[in-house]
Amino acid sequence: MIQEQGLNRRRLLAAGALFATAGLSGCASTASGPSIGRVVVIGGGFGGATAARYLKLWGGNIDVTLVERNPNFISCPISNLVLGGHKQMADITRGYDGLKALGIKVLQGEVRTIDAAAKKVRLADGSELAFDRLIVSPGIDFMADQVGGLKAALDAGQVQHAWKAGPQTAALRRQLEAMPDGGVFAMSIPKVPYRCPPGPYERACMVASYLKQHKPKSKVLVLDGNPEIQSKKALFERAFKQHYDGLLEYRPNAEIKEVANGGRLARLEFEDVKADVLNVIPPQRAADLAVSAGLVNINNRWAGVNWLTMESTAAPGVHVLGDATFPAPAMPKSGHMANQHAKVAAAAIIQLLKGEAVSSTPVVMNTCYSFVTARDVVHVASVHQYDSTDKTFKAVPGSGGVSAGANQLEGGYALSWAQNIWSDMLG
């Protein structure tokens, strides 16, 4: 476990977003000379934006085009604080000007098809982009059809998942503000794997923190499809008891089967739960684009990759990052890990375009913070080393761990982490 004493934790975590450079090929920025290749990056989130930026920082003379459907990046990490009323949407929104300043061509558009054999990407407007290497960082999409009535409730705006930060985050916040004092906020957590294992439990705390202050007669009901809390279990149990006893109720093995009554009723196997606000986080898989491109080849849900290069095991020349991948052992689906995937991919692509060997010893890390009150935070950290025998990343024994307890000092670290990683990916 990483201990506070004997280690300057602030320095470690501030540098955490850069950790994946350890063990990778040293690539200086060399913009002189002819281009050594064209790389198209699809998706401007933690994985795609970081990959685009580091291809330019480390490769220099690579033509990099980033395609992103949204005009701005909105961060899922820290978005639960918006639901709790402790941050605003503007606090988690960033633009792409820093990438443009590096010479990256940033296109706002929708990718319709990927032709890996012809090395072309077709956009919704009919234009095409040719590439030598393609990076796909599409994130997740939802399997709403696994919960009866959910898709219709989501489409009608009766239920929000808010598991992609953006309009649904703001809409869920408005639902909370409109909820009467004495109302019930019920949140449904899908069975693993899903994006950000501790995220739902942090959300429960943030919603409870808002209700405790403004609507103290209300209740937060956490319906977990899993048998227990999936990350930082003891820390969240302590937070639920210490800060929200009588306000927050946690129920394990409570998988939602159906949404009914205009998004006000959650049907479980043996009971119905009425809610004034129902927040259903659906089961997840790799995004639709990864499916249509033929990149999803594990469990009909996730994309397999060669962990040395992040290259798809289904489509040569295409590299897949972040939550869309089938994870290595003990590797979380998190924004920080997507950032690390991006650096492994960027370093490998530069070497491949040069016709040189890629690093055989990459190391990546992850740190995930969770707010349990507006100021008190807990974390989990891990380091993962590539294992050449099993050809995957494995957690380094004794390299990580969790907080001894929630405290305000870690709250400062968490906010610094967010600013650091946003700068690391977007400039």
Side-chain angles (χ1 to χ4, degrees):
M1 177 174 175
I2 297 177
Q3 301 292 335
E4 298 289 340
Q5 58 267 33
L7 176 64
N8 188 326
R9 187 165 171 73
R10 180 184 295 275
R11 290 177 59 191
L12 171 66
L13 297 175
L18 302 175
F19 194 92
T21 59
L24 300 181
S25 301
C27 303
S29 179
T30 55
S32 60
S35 170
I36 62 172
R38 298 164 300 179
V39 179
V40 174
V41 182
I42 301 173
F46 283 94
T50 302
R53 185 166 184 259
Y54 275 84
L55 283 167
K56 294 300 288 186
L57 289 176
W58 289 343
N61 53 339
I62 296 177
D63 293 327
V64 181
T65 301
L66 173 67
V67 184
E68 165 56 42
R69 62 164 66 101
N70 298 309
N72 295 299
F73 163 79
I74 304 177
S75 179
C76 284
I78 308 299
S79 66
N80 282 330
L81 273 72
V82 175
L83 297 179
H86 310 304
K87 292 289 182 183
Q88 303 297 318
M89 289 298 294
D91 297 322
I92 61 171
T93 303
R94 297 289 185 274
Y96 291 103
D97 288 347
L99 299 185
K100 295 174 184 177
L102 280 178
I104 296 166
K105 186 176 183 181
V106 179
L107 299 179
Q108 185 183 349
E110 189 85 21
V111 175
R112 284 288 183 248
T113 60
I114 295 171
D115 189 335
K119 296 190 173 183
K120 288 183 179 179
V121 169
R122 180 179 292 275
L123 305 185
D125 63 8
S127 62
E128 290 186 342
L129 299 172
F131 61 82
D132 297 300
R133 291 274 167 176
L134 176 67
I135 295 176
V136 182
S137 189
I140 50 100
D141 274 317
F142 301 103
M143 304 163 73
D145 57 346
Q146 292 195 0
V147 179
L150 177 57
K151 186 178 186 305
L154 288 169
D155 290 345
Q158 298 163 339
V159 170
Q160 311 293 335
H161 57 69
W163 218 237
K164 292 183 179 181
Q168 287 211 15
T169 309
L172 185 56
R173 172 63 188 174
R174 290 193 296 270
Q175 288 184 336
L176 280 168
E177 291 173 333
M179 191 178 88
D181 191 9
V184 174
F185 173 89
M187 179 176 63
S188 170
I189 304 173
K191 290 182 178 179
V192 290
Y194 58 81
R195 164 185 280 178
C196 189
Y201 312 105
E202 178 192 59
R203 175 172 293 182
C205 290
M206 289 300 92
V207 171
S209 74
Y210 166 70
L211 297 179
K212 182 177 181 179
Q213 182 176 359
H214 299 284
K215 303 180 182 187
K217 298 177 183 178
S218 301
K219 181 177 182 178
V220 175
L221 181 58
V222 182
L223 305 172
D224 196 342
N226 301 285
E228 62 182 3
I229 293 172
Q230 293 299 295
S231 179
K232 312 172 194 172
K233 178 184 175 182
L235 292 169
F236 279 118
E237 288 179 336
R238 190 185 310 168
F240 291 172
K241 179 70 174 176
Q242 179 180 353
H243 299 291
Y244 310 114
D245 191 30
L247 174 62
L248 189 157
E249 179 184 346
Y250 173 77
R251 296 187 191 175
N253 295 310
E255 183 180 12
I256 188 171
K257 301 295 185 181
E258 184 181 358
V259 172
N261 193 28
R264 295 295 186 93
L265 185 70
R267 288 203 164 103
L268 311 183
E269 187 171 3
F270 298 112
E271 66 173 317
D272 292 346
V273 173
K274 295 180 180 179
D276 295 271
V277 176
L278 183 57
N279 172 215
V280 179
I281 303 169
Q284 295 150 41
R285 57 164 172 76
D288 292 342
L289 179 62
V291 175
S292 63
L295 302 176
V296 172
N297 59 353
I298 298 180
N299 298 334
N300 292 318
R301 293 179 71 178
W302 310 110
V305 296
N306 174 347
W307 289 106
L308 274 182
T309 62
M310 303 304 300
E311 188 169 4
S312 166
T313 55
V318 179
H319 303 254
V320 187
L321 313 178
D323 295 339
T325 62
F326 182 76
M331 180 177 282
K333 292 183 179 295
S334 70
H336 196 156
M337 190 54 71
N339 167 277
Q340 304 285 278
H341 289 176
K343 292 173 183 176
V344 173
I349 287 170
I350 291 166
Q351 299 305 98
L352 291 168
L353 290 175
K354 291 179 177 179
E356 299 174 359
V358 302
S359 170
S360 60
T361 57
V363 179
V364 297
M365 73 164 289
N366 181 76
T367 304
C368 181
Y369 293 98
S370 300
F371 283 80
V372 297
T373 72
R375 295 181 178 84
D376 296 300
V377 168
V378 295
H379 81 273
V380 61
S382 57
V383 179
H384 306 257
Q385 168 76 58
Y386 182 76
D387 184 293
S388 59
T389 301
D390 291 337
K391 300 186 184 325
T392 189
F393 280 101
K394 292 185 177 180
V396 177
S399 64
V402 298
S403 306
N407 60 79
Q408 293 187 18
L409 184 62
E410 288 213 39
Y413 294 155
L415 296 175
S416 294
W417 172 90
Q419 295 295 333
N420 288 335
I421 201 166
W422 294 337
S423 296
D424 187 55
M425 60 186 278
L426 297 166

